Amino acid sequence: MLNRLVRAILEKISHDRNRSFVCFENRARQFQCPFHYHPELELTLIVSSSGQRYVGDHIGRFAAGDLVLMGPDLPHMYINDSKFGGWAKAFVLQFLPDCLGAEFFKRGELQRIHNLLERSRVGLLFYGKTRDKVAHLMGSLVNLDGLERLVSFLKILEIMAESKEYRVLASPSYSPSLSLYQGARINSVCELISMKFKEGLTQREAARMARMSSPSFSRFFRRATNKTFRSFLNEVRIGYASQQLLETDRTVAEVCYESGFANLSNFNRQFLKLRKVSPRDYRRKRSSAG
């Protein structure tokens, strides 16, 4: 029983033997996406909905237009905001590194794509014109067949391989220790944080929900996420605060308390630590750039 609990959830993706890759539209009231991993690479385009995105040891926000390429066996999870209404929709493309043959992407003409697949092992977030071009192709890919489908797939990879409009998500040194994950526990803890990060959530409360002592939970959480519980919680709060600063007219103080911080000085300190600028400068620089 213990051996089954100490692994992240391994998702087994069914493949049509006549197709080199899987491409589908995911549409639901809420994304049912626990912390999981699989040997396939995955390209996910969020069409509608918002919430919290976890990729390896990365914590961030996602919204419509979010485009992420995740490498093989990279643990990831999407959790919708509790107040999100309507339909959560995404286009998902999944494929094995050797989907077109063990040596296909290593050939000279495709070396850039091979390098892209290697870089994706820590997760890549694409933006700008790159995202727009890929989004257009992914929207039509689900309805294509035959050679046209394969050409479109390769074109998507080529666009990302040649782009400089991307940001690495997980830490450069991140290497998933899958045997350290306890899928069910990590899922429930992350869901608890996503629901209650605006409140006075404590490590003791999270440990109690995970049915662990505080010391045991502290060790488990750090080994599974590469972060302390407090650091993880602060990153979730700062991610939400960043979004609020850009999308609302709330004052910095209002955003501070709305995001779950008890005082303004700690909020400013944590924001500067994670974003390298103050909340006011963050809003000003992003507004002038956009």
Side-chain angles (χ1 to χ4, degrees):
M1 182 65 146
L2 181 60
N3 288 335
R4 283 184 291 173
L5 285 175
V6 295
R7 297 185 182 275
I9 296 174
L10 171 62
E11 181 181 12
K12 294 184 178 180
I13 298 170
S14 58
H15 291 274
D16 183 339
R17 293 184 178 181
N18 295 317
R19 291 179 177 265
S20 303
F21 58 90
V22 175
C23 186
F24 59 93
E25 178 184 326
N26 183 3
R27 187 171 184 267
R29 287 296 182 185
Q30 294 278 323
F31 286 136
Q32 300 298 317
C33 182
F35 228 132
H36 68 290
Y37 68 97
H38 40 71
E40 293 83 0
L41 290 93
E42 178 174 305
L43 180 63
T44 298
L45 170 67
I46 304 297
V47 178
S48 63
S49 84
S50 61
Q52 211 71 37
R53 179 201 333 106
Y54 304 92
V55 178
D57 61 356
H58 161 82
I59 304 168
R61 298 284 302 173
F62 73 87
D66 192 80
L67 179 68
V68 173
L69 176 63
M70 290 164 281
D73 294 328
L74 180 60
H76 56 281
M77 172 170 63
Y78 289 78
I79 299 179
N80 287 119
D81 289 328
S82 58
K83 294 182 179 180
F84 172 74
W87 289 90
K89 180 179 175 182
F91 287 116
V92 181
L93 172 61
Q94 296 170 329
F95 60 99
L96 290 165
D98 60 352
C99 64
L100 297 176
E103 301 297 319
F104 185 80
F105 289 121
K106 296 180 181 180
R107 301 179 187 277
E109 300 90 338
L110 300 171
Q111 188 61 46
R112 287 187 178 181
I113 293 180
H114 174 69
N115 293 339
L116 169 73
L117 304 189
E118 289 298 311
R119 284 185 280 126
S120 73
R121 294 184 180 278
V122 288
L124 303 174
L125 171 69
F126 290 90
Y127 55 87
K129 293 182 179 179
T130 300
R131 178 196 57 201
D132 296 341
K133 291 177 182 178
V134 172
H136 175 72
L137 289 171
M138 286 189 74
S140 59
L141 185 59
V142 292
N143 299 315
L144 297 179
D145 210 344
L147 182 60
E148 191 177 9
R149 181 176 186 268
L150 178 59
V151 169
S152 186
F153 168 62
L154 292 174
K155 185 63 178 177
I156 287 172
L157 296 182
E158 179 188 36
I159 291 170
M160 293 189 295
E162 295 182 349
S163 174
K164 294 182 179 179
E165 295 179 311
Y166 71 90
R167 181 164 59 87
V168 173
L169 295 182
S171 302
S173 60
Y174 178 75
S175 178
S177 300
L178 300 178
S179 62
L180 297 179
Y181 277 82
Q182 293 187 353
R185 282 177 173 165
I186 279 293
N187 292 336
S188 57
V189 171
C190 288
E191 288 174 2
L192 177 69
I193 292 172
S194 293
M195 288 187 297
K196 302 190 70 174
F197 71 87
K198 298 180 184 179
E199 304 172 21
L201 182 63
T202 65
Q203 179 172 297
R204 179 177 296 181
E205 183 179 353
R208 185 166 59 248
M209 187 275 302
R211 298 181 181 179
M212 302 174 74
S213 68
S214 279
S216 295
F217 176 81
S218 179
R219 290 191 296 270
F220 151 71
F221 193 85
R222 184 157 196 163
R223 294 174 72 193
T225 66
N226 287 346
K227 301 176 190 292
T228 64
F229 177 80
R230 175 56 57 181
S231 295
F232 191 98
L233 180 59
N234 281 338
E235 286 196 36
V236 170
R237 287 171 170 169
I238 294 300
Y240 178 80
S242 300
Q243 184 182 40
Q244 292 298 298
L245 288 170
L246 298 181
E247 297 181 1
T248 74
D249 294 325
R250 291 181 177 138
T251 66
V252 171
E254 288 173 334
V255 170
C256 161
Y257 298 119
E258 169 69 14
S259 303
F261 287 93
N263 63 77
L264 191 57
S265 61
N266 185 40
F267 171 67
N268 286 328
R269 183 167 58 251
Q270 295 300 329
F271 199 99
L272 182 62
K273 177 182 177 181
L274 292 171
R275 296 290 183 262
K276 310 305 179 187
V277 295
S278 69
R280 286 186 175 82
D281 286 343
Y282 180 85
R283 169 179 271 170
R284 179 177 54 80
K285 289 182 179 181
R286 289 299 183 96
S287 297
S288 62

